[in-house]
Amino acid sequence: MVIYGHQNGHLMFVMEPITSLSVVRQTLQTTQKCAEECNQDYGLVTYDLNAAKPAMQIQARESPTFDNIFIRLGAFHIEMAFFMAESGGSDMLTETGVLAPGSLNGFLTGKHFNRCKRLHPLLALAFESLHFKAFLQTCDFKEELHTLISTVQTITNTEGEPGLELMISTDLFKNCATQYSKYTNATLSGAHGYTAQFWMTYVEYINLFHRLERANRTNDIELFVFTLTPIIDLFFATAHINYSRWLTKYQLDLLNIDDTHPGLREILNQGAFTVRRTEHDFSRIPVDLTLEQTINADAASRLTGITSFTNDYSARLRWMITKATRASCISLLQEMTGLISKEDVTAELRPRRIQRDNEDLQKIIKQILDTNIPFETNNVSEVLYNISTGKGTSEEICQSLLNVPTKGKARHKDFIEYCKNDPNKFESPIKKEKLKTFEDGCATNRRTNNTKIVALKGTRNLIGRLLVLATRKRLDMQHILQYPLIPVPLSMASPDEVMTKTDKSALFDLLENKVKDIEQRPEKVSAYIIDGQFLLHSLPPKLPPTYGELARSIISQSLTSPAKRIHIVFDDYPQPSIKDTERDRRGSDNRTFVITGPEQRRVPRDLNDALKSRSFKKQLPQFLANEWQDPSYANILGDREVFLDVPGECYNFQVKEGVIQRDTVDGLRNNHEEADTKICLHSLSADCENGDIVIRASDTDIAVILLYHCHRFQSRLWMDVGTASKNNRRYVNVTAICKELGPGLCAALPAFHAFTGSDYTSAFVRKGKI
């Protein structure tokens, strides 16, 4: 135990558990003695929760013996408990490689504090960035805002803080901040969907951590007390009963400090609230964190404790008695030799740390975009989705998670009123209401034992627990493992029965890098083949209101290529389908659409919203097949030939003698479900010597199929990927990649792709494509 008097130092080591009442009383007496020796009216002592509880009880029970002591709860341990309120984004961090799988449990429990302190804010920043981008899509002054953002970035890099303060004072910036605040409040109220509400609530809680950290770093007692209220609310909502009760007491003590300990507030404001170990500003840290970084770190063994080198009781006794002295000597020696430096804020501002944080932030954002974007303006859903698996939660779990702020505030208020009416009931049991989380939606096996049904939840540490039990109770593991232990294989699925997904684009990026150094562009395009779904998703956001005008926009967009031969290929949507699970994960719905003619107005106007309906995706290609026969399309089509592949048929459109003629192409009629394989069929039909076939798509599945069949083609195969809006549109030479890999690897790619995770098959947990 370390207690700070007029200077930092280590007191004699106490060789008993800190939770022992006799030890706690001894630390209180020692605190009084230190205050007396330093001629101070009051003594300050900081405990973690397990020691603070008996200390406060002793102080209250033996009043006024220890009334001149002010007992504090360690802010470092409060922050660790705060991070235990897990959000569900941890799987995303492990998928991106930002968090090592072996560190997952420590991250979830808050024990790996440095990882929590770094990664939770990164995850929150990723969500807030996407939220702000969604806001930009809805505001009426987009161009002005983009100009403002560019100006802020320029001023920050050139003029620094003075120029930034001037920019913040402008009316445009103030208007933007006001509008974004209203947009955020709407999100927090559920106006933009339950998933968006959940993750913005998470962002708000991480902002709460930032305020608490700021209070510690700046020795700001008022900000610390103000921030404790919503933190206590969160602890009440998440059933952290002990922290809920005793933090309420600690906050009350801080509020009443001028009455109970007159003059102590000034001492705390002068620097006694936190510890400053360096000369840098904004670098103070909590007292209990200082303890962990000094005596506990310096005197600790890097082996498995003292038992690794002796079992002798006397040796252990001497080791413990000299712990404080050894810690002081080791710390001083390391500082003199430059082996360590006292931690301060500059460690987080070093260029390498900033670079690493930016790289990890981009990885997290990419992972969110590849899974389930919660802030899409066209994705206002009253279903709370697990963002890592895409599975919707039940209404009970949804309401439990979304009502955390309001429930926590109500329980906190009720507890205060309960104690005000009868202070003696402060330590009475608090009813513990379990918070239902995503884990409660996991798959379960059910067994009956004496007519009682017991749910067996699938957990990843089940085998470890079994091994411990087998060792203690001499169980036959060979016999036990003959039976299924969990409802789903956790190596390939999440506990809520959803297949594990991986980033397929990582494989495409690896293949593209094989020929990235070569300057490439198709020279003689004989055929241009377009993935129909990709075409629809890449249309501009502002589209005409009727289906007839939409059909003109689609064919005009398709004819931007100079090729004389254009193929547009759409998926089929039979039911049941092997891809139903994947489509449900992407947010597919069962709304029914009927397109009656070109004058019909589109409802909903947002095409991306309509594309979630299987009915709409079936109806639209059939409507195009009929609409493009209209004579008015002759001028648009000109001397081009358009092949339209719709479910069950393939049509050819061309102008003959000034009239549109539609013919059925029997050779391209197929019963394929996926456009991926249809595209390969259309490519083979357009194959010619010394020509270039360009496939407009952005799908790893298509690239893998084309590489497998590449040796069949006389033409050079290319993929036109990316979009102009993201400034990443480019050509990828599939034929060159095939030559670089060789026929053996190309032939093995489909099996490898399926084995490591595709739309139909599960990936292995925490194992990517490469």
Side-chain angles (χ1 to χ4, degrees):
M1 171 66 70
V2 178
I3 304 177
Y4 292 86
H6 65 284
Q7 62 180 4
N8 295 345
H10 303 312
L11 297 179
M12 183 58 68
F13 192 80
V14 181
M15 293 167 44
E16 293 290 339
I18 185 58
T19 53
S20 169
L21 290 178
S22 61
V23 172
V24 174
R25 181 178 286 101
Q26 180 181 345
T27 60
L28 292 173
Q29 293 169 347
T30 305
T31 303
Q32 285 183 323
K33 183 179 179 181
C34 289
E36 182 181 349
E37 291 178 356
C38 298
N39 296 320
Q40 296 291 320
D41 294 331
Y42 307 111
L44 283 172
V45 60
T46 302
Y47 297 104
D48 63 11
L49 179 64
N50 289 332
K53 285 165 52 182
M56 289 180 176
Q57 290 167 339
I58 291 171
Q59 187 183 47
R61 188 167 53 246
E62 300 184 14
S63 178
T65 304
F66 299 111
D67 283 359
N68 68 328
I69 295 177
F70 189 81
I71 299 172
R72 299 179 51 211
L73 267 68
F76 166 61
H77 287 84
I78 294 173
E79 290 177 347
M80 289 180 66
F82 178 83
F83 283 132
M84 288 178 65
E86 212 280 302
S87 63
S90 53
D91 287 339
M92 193 171 302
L93 297 177
T94 56
E95 283 292 327
T96 59
V98 172
L99 176 67
S103 303
L104 183 59
N105 287 336
F107 178 80
L108 295 178
T109 57
K111 292 181 179 179
H112 290 179
F113 177 72
N114 286 332
R115 291 186 179 91
C116 291
K117 185 176 70 170
R118 174 175 174 267
L119 295 181
H120 274 297
L122 279 181
L123 184 60
L125 180 58
F127 280 111
E128 186 146 31
S129 299
L130 294 173
H131 183 252
F132 187 74
K133 288 182 179 179
F135 161 71
L136 292 179
Q137 298 299 320
T138 62
C139 64
D140 299 327
F141 43 94
K142 293 182 187 178
E143 295 182 2
E144 293 87 343
L145 274 181
H146 284 293
T147 304
L148 175 64
I149 293 170
S150 301
T151 306
V152 168
Q153 292 173 339
T154 304
I155 289 177
T156 304
N157 295 330
T158 56
E159 301 180 25
E161 189 172 341
L164 191 58
E165 290 180 354
L166 183 62
M167 176 58 64
I168 291 174
S169 64
T170 62
D171 293 337
L172 178 60
F173 187 92
K174 291 178 180 179
N175 185 31
C176 173
T178 301
Q179 294 299 322
Y180 182 62
S181 178
K182 292 180 180 178
Y183 185 84
T184 300
N185 290 335
T187 303
L188 290 171
S189 66
H192 302 140
Y194 286 168
T195 308
Q197 180 184 358
F198 173 79
W199 283 107
M200 275 311 292
T201 304
Y202 168 78
V203 170
E204 288 295 303
Y205 279 126
I206 298 304
N207 290 338
L208 190 62
F209 162 73
H210 286 310
R211 290 204 295 272
L212 185 66
E213 186 76 352
R214 181 181 182 86
N216 289 325
R217 287 186 177 273
T218 59
N219 203 76
D220 191 334
I221 302 173
E222 284 71 24
L223 179 60
F224 183 86
V225 174
F226 174 77
T227 309
L228 280 182
T229 300
I231 289 179
I232 298 171
D233 293 346
L234 177 63
F235 285 154
F236 268 104
T238 54
H240 284 60
I241 300 302
N242 286 326
Y243 269 103
S244 303
R245 187 198 312 274
W246 294 101
L247 265 183
T248 303
K249 169 72 166 61
Y250 178 43
Q251 186 186 35
L252 182 64
D253 290 345
L254 287 170
L255 289 170
N256 295 332
I257 194 171
D258 292 329
D259 298 327
T260 60
H261 298 76
L264 184 56
R265 181 184 296 274
E266 288 72 20
I267 296 175
L268 293 175
N269 283 329
Q270 290 171 8
F273 192 69
T274 52
V275 178
R276 182 173 183 173
R277 300 178 63 207
T278 73
E279 296 301 321
H280 295 281
D281 293 329
F282 202 72
S283 59
R284 289 180 170 273
I285 57 176
V287 174
D288 48 338
L289 179 57
T290 306
L291 171 67
E292 297 293 337
Q293 293 179 350
T294 53
I295 183 171
N296 285 354
D298 296 336
S301 169
R302 294 188 179 276
L303 302 176
T304 55
I306 189 175
T307 56
S308 63
F309 58 84
T310 182
N311 287 319
D312 183 78
Y313 175 77
S314 299
R316 295 187 187 185
L317 190 64
R318 290 191 297 272
W319 186 87
M320 297 175 72
I321 290 174
T322 61
K323 179 177 180 180
T325 306
R326 284 186 291 106
S328 299
C329 294
I330 292 171
S331 177
L332 182 60
L333 180 62
Q334 288 179 327
E335 286 185 29
M336 292 173 61
T337 56
L339 294 177
I340 62 169
S341 59
K342 296 177 180 177
E343 182 179 341
D344 58 75
V345 70
T346 58
E348 299 175 7
L349 299 177
R350 291 170 183 162
R352 182 66 189 94
R353 171 65 180 270
I354 294 175
Q355 180 184 354
R356 180 189 176 195
D357 287 348
N358 285 333
E359 290 173 355
D360 288 346
L361 176 63
Q362 295 307 315
K363 290 179 184 177
I364 295 171
I365 291 176
K366 183 176 184 300
Q367 182 67 20
I368 297 172
L369 294 174
D370 289 342
T371 51
N372 186 355
I373 307 173
F375 305 118
E376 285 184 322
T377 54
N378 55 8
N379 190 24
V380 180
S381 171
E382 293 188 354
V383 176
L384 175 60
Y385 290 98
N386 184 326
I387 198 167
S388 60
T389 65
K391 183 176 180 179
T393 63
S394 66
E395 180 66 20
E396 184 182 14
I397 294 175
C398 174
Q399 293 305 318
S400 176
L401 288 172
L402 296 181
N403 291 330
V404 162
T406 54
K407 284 185 177 179
K409 187 179 296 184
R411 291 173 188 169
H412 186 189
K413 182 179 179 181
D414 291 344
F415 177 72
I416 293 174
E417 293 297 325
Y418 178 74
C419 295
K420 282 172 63 177
N421 295 332
D422 187 356
N424 294 324
K425 293 185 177 180
F426 172 76
E427 294 190 51
S428 299
I430 299 175
K431 184 179 179 182
K432 189 174 182 178
E433 296 187 28
K434 185 179 183 302
L435 175 69
K436 291 189 176 294
T437 64
F438 292 113
E439 183 182 359
D440 294 286
C442 295
T444 58
N445 282 339
R446 307 184 76 85
R447 65 178 175 85
T448 303
N449 184 15
N450 297 329
T451 70
K452 181 181 179 181
I453 296 178
V454 181
L456 305 178
K457 287 190 176 181
T459 56
R460 296 195 184 280
N461 61 351
L462 178 61
I463 190 66
R465 292 163 60 188
L466 274 176
L467 289 173
V468 173
L469 289 172
T471 303
R472 291 179 179 175
K473 298 189 177 182
R474 301 181 182 278
L475 301 178
D476 184 358
M477 287 298 295
Q478 185 174 359
H479 176 72
I480 291 174
L481 294 177
Q482 293 177 2
Y483 303 93
L485 303 178
I486 49 179
V488 290
L490 295 183
S491 62
M492 295 185 292
S494 62
D496 54 0
E497 296 182 293
V498 175
M499 291 192 306
T500 302
K501 307 306 295 183
T502 188
D503 182 9
K504 296 190 299 182
S505 64
L507 177 58
F508 185 85
D509 293 340
L510 178 66
L511 295 172
E512 184 182 359
N513 286 334
K514 296 288 183 182
V515 294
K516 203 165 188 178
D517 297 334
I518 306 173
E519 184 87 18
Q520 359 184 31
R521 191 177 184 86
E523 298 176 357
K524 184 181 178 182
V525 181
S526 57
Y528 193 73
I529 302 172
I530 306 172
D531 181 349
Q533 289 302 314
F534 181 83
L535 171 64
L536 295 178
H537 282 286
S538 60
L539 291 173
K542 292 184 178 180
L543 292 170
T546 65
Y547 281 106
E549 293 171 317
L550 175 64
R552 290 182 179 275
S553 297
I554 292 173
I555 197 169
S556 298
Q557 184 81 6
S558 305
L559 296 176
T560 55
S561 168
K564 297 293 184 182
R565 182 169 175 161
I566 309 294
H567 296 247
I568 306 171
V569 183
F570 284 96
D571 292 315
D572 194 1
Y573 297 90
Q575 284 187 303
S577 168
I578 195 174
K579 204 175 176 181
D580 283 343
T581 301
E582 175 65 16
R583 287 173 180 147
D584 290 339
R585 189 185 73 85
R586 294 177 182 177
S588 178
D589 61 46
N590 295 319
R591 286 175 295 172
T592 301
F593 282 81
V594 177
I595 303 176
T596 57
E599 301 303 321
Q600 180 183 346
R601 300 186 72 83
R602 295 189 300 110
V603 178
R605 288 289 301 275
D606 190 338
L607 182 61
N608 287 328
D609 187 21
L611 286 172
K612 294 177 183 177
S613 167
R614 297 178 185 179
S615 172
F616 180 82
K617 289 186 285 190
K618 285 182 178 180
Q619 289 275 317
L620 183 60
Q622 295 292 349
F623 167 73
L624 296 178
N626 295 324
E627 172 65 14
W628 288 350
Q629 297 180 87
D630 190 275
S632 62
Y633 284 87
N635 291 331
I636 299 175
L637 195 57
D639 59 348
R640 310 285 193 89
E641 222 181 334
V642 172
F643 292 81
L644 179 63
D645 192 316
V646 299
E649 288 290 350
C650 181
Y651 299 106
N652 169 254
F653 296 86
Q654 55 183 318
V655 178
K656 293 183 177 180
E657 298 180 357
V659 178
I660 289 281
Q661 181 173 328
R662 187 188 81 171
D663 298 315
T664 301
V665 185
D666 294 334
L668 292 176
R669 183 187 290 122
N670 60 81
N671 59 357
H672 295 198
E673 178 178 350
E674 286 281 304
D676 303 353
T677 52
K678 293 182 180 183
I679 285 173
C680 190
L681 175 64
H682 281 256
S683 300
L684 283 170
S685 72
D687 191 24
C688 64
E689 192 172 355
N690 296 324
D692 291 309
I693 298 176
V694 178
I695 294 92
R696 176 70 174 133
S698 188
D699 193 330
T700 304
D701 299 343
I702 295 174
V704 168
I705 295 171
L706 290 174
L707 284 168
Y708 179 81
H709 291 286
C710 192
H711 67 281
R712 303 172 183 268
F713 288 86
Q714 300 180 56
S715 301
R716 291 177 295 274
L717 294 179
W718 301 78
M719 287 188 69
D720 181 359
V721 301
T723 58
S725 61
K726 294 183 179 179
N727 197 30
N728 64 349
R729 188 165 181 178
R730 63 202 183 278
Y731 289 101
V732 178
N733 192 332
V734 178
T735 301
I737 295 175
C738 179
K739 292 178 180 178
E740 184 73 22
L741 296 178
L745 280 178
C746 289
L749 270 178
F752 171 80
H753 184 46
F755 185 74
T756 53
S758 65
D759 291 345
Y760 305 98
T761 57
S762 175
F764 291 98
V765 170
R766 300 174 192 142
K767 299 292 183 184
K769 288 284 184 183
I770 55 176

